[in-house]
Amino acid sequence: MSDPVRYEVPVPKIARITLNRPDRRNAQDTELLYALNDAFDRAAHDDDIVVIVLAAAGPHFSAGHDLREPDPLHAHARYRTVGTAAGFTEPGAAGVVAREEEIYLGFSERWRNIPKPTIAEVHGKVIAGGLMLAWPCDLIVAAEDAEFIDNVVAMGVNAVEFFNHPYEFGYRKAKELLFTSGALSAAEAERLGMVNLVVPRAQLSVATMALAARIAEQPPFALKLAKQSVNAAQDAAGRPEAIRTAFALHQLAHSHNMQVHGMVVEPGFMERFRRG
């Protein structure tokens, strides 16, 4: 089996990390997420790397969480935990919350604060959990065919765990997309300010690497300070508290679905997922 994540340094100063589960449309199982976190750490700790690019193999950037992963709560035993979450195999809400604090909310927030500029290079579908890979990046370059979707309300849950929607779409557009489980085109995402640049699919990697090369010529310490300054402005407006509240409501929805349906999401959605 191939590695779920590839790590390359194609040119000096730029690390290129590639999601590498094309047969599963880069759906995120536990192995992929820990491998991605290791790759981000590797680039962050390498003083020769100035800019980090996150790309994806295959027809789509990411189909979100891998809903077919067997026994996901026990999967953590193979990895060194990164955050302070514990009790992954505990019954009830305890195990689910621990898992999602570690590899969903925890990883996304951790990647957002990497002290180096990061660029997401996206194409095809970016569904639900796929947003939680692109949104932590500082910049997004999208192919014209990219679509951004959070269909988690259709699963009986409020939204994905990394609730950055109001800061990416704006408040009313966030509500519209969540309420309808709708899709946002690359062009509209650029108009809303979520995407920095839209290019033809054939030019995607070239355009992303050209942007990364321009950034890589800047002084690394100044880049770090600029990133921290913008992130601090966003956090001062209450973003961390809003995300933690939405995460708690996400867990409430899982608990409700377990009590009513015996599973963490709506069974109707799972039936459509299995057929699709």
Side-chain angles (χ1 to χ4, degrees):
M1 295 178 63
S2 59
D3 292 335
V5 171
R6 297 199 308 264
Y7 185 97
E8 306 166 279
V9 182
V11 296
K13 300 184 179 182
I14 301 173
R16 187 173 177 86
I17 299 169
T18 304
L19 307 174
N20 192 36
R21 295 187 79 203
D23 57 321
R24 299 287 295 126
R25 303 301 187 256
N26 297 309
Q28 305 151 25
D29 63 358
T30 307
E31 180 186 21
L32 180 142
L33 289 169
Y34 276 101
L36 178 56
N37 188 66
D38 287 345
F40 273 130
D41 276 357
R42 179 178 174 182
H45 297 157
D46 185 343
D47 290 341
D48 291 330
I49 297 300
V50 178
V51 181
I52 306 168
V53 172
L54 175 63
H60 300 291
F61 181 77
S62 178
H65 301 339
D66 189 346
L67 301 180
R68 292 191 175 98
E69 181 178 9
D71 198 13
L73 293 183
H74 284 83
H76 299 267
R78 299 194 298 272
Y79 306 97
R80 177 185 63 82
T81 57
V82 174
T84 56
F88 299 108
T89 60
E90 291 294 318
V96 175
V97 172
R99 172 177 171 79
E100 299 198 350
E101 281 183 330
E102 167 85 352
I103 67 169
Y104 297 150
L105 179 59
F107 277 175
S108 292
E109 193 71 9
R110 194 168 191 264
W111 301 334
R112 174 187 181 261
N113 293 314
I114 290 171
K116 296 180 179 182
T118 54
I119 306 174
E121 176 187 303
V122 303
H123 65 279
K125 303 291 186 185
V126 187
I127 302 174
L131 297 168
M132 297 177 10
L133 306 183
W135 282 348
C137 293
D138 300 304
L139 307 177
I140 298 177
V141 179
E144 290 172 337
D145 69 345
E147 278 191 298
F148 303 89
I149 305 163
D150 186 354
N151 57 351
V152 176
V153 170
M155 303 181 198
V157 185
N158 58 325
V160 294
E161 294 85 350
F162 184 62
F163 189 75
N164 224 43
H165 306 64
Y167 312 102
E168 301 289 351
F169 303 142
Y171 299 111
R172 282 197 165 80
K173 197 65 177 181
K175 289 178 181 178
E176 176 192 338
L177 291 169
L178 288 168
F179 293 173
T180 62
S181 291
L184 195 68
S185 69
E188 190 168 13
E190 183 183 32
R191 181 182 64 80
L192 292 172
M194 191 189 91
V195 164
N196 297 88
L197 180 66
V198 177
V199 298
R201 176 74 172 268
Q203 299 174 20
L204 179 61
S205 293
V206 172
T208 304
M209 292 300 291
L211 177 60
R214 286 177 57 198
I215 296 169
E217 293 306 311
Q218 306 301 317
F221 188 57
L223 288 170
K224 173 183 176 179
L225 299 180
K227 176 170 181 170
Q228 289 178 337
S229 298
V230 177
N231 282 4
Q234 194 178 42
D235 289 348
R239 187 198 67 92
E241 291 78 12
I243 284 185
R244 290 301 307 184
T245 297
F247 181 78
L249 296 173
H250 183 102
Q251 303 309 319
L252 174 61
H254 280 331
S255 180
H256 170 78
N257 288 327
M258 281 297 297
Q259 292 177 58
V260 175
H261 306 297
M263 56 197 312
V264 295
V265 298
E266 286 272 358
F269 178 88
M270 290 305 296
E271 284 301 316
R272 294 192 298 274
F273 173 76
R274 292 188 187 100
R275 291 196 302 268

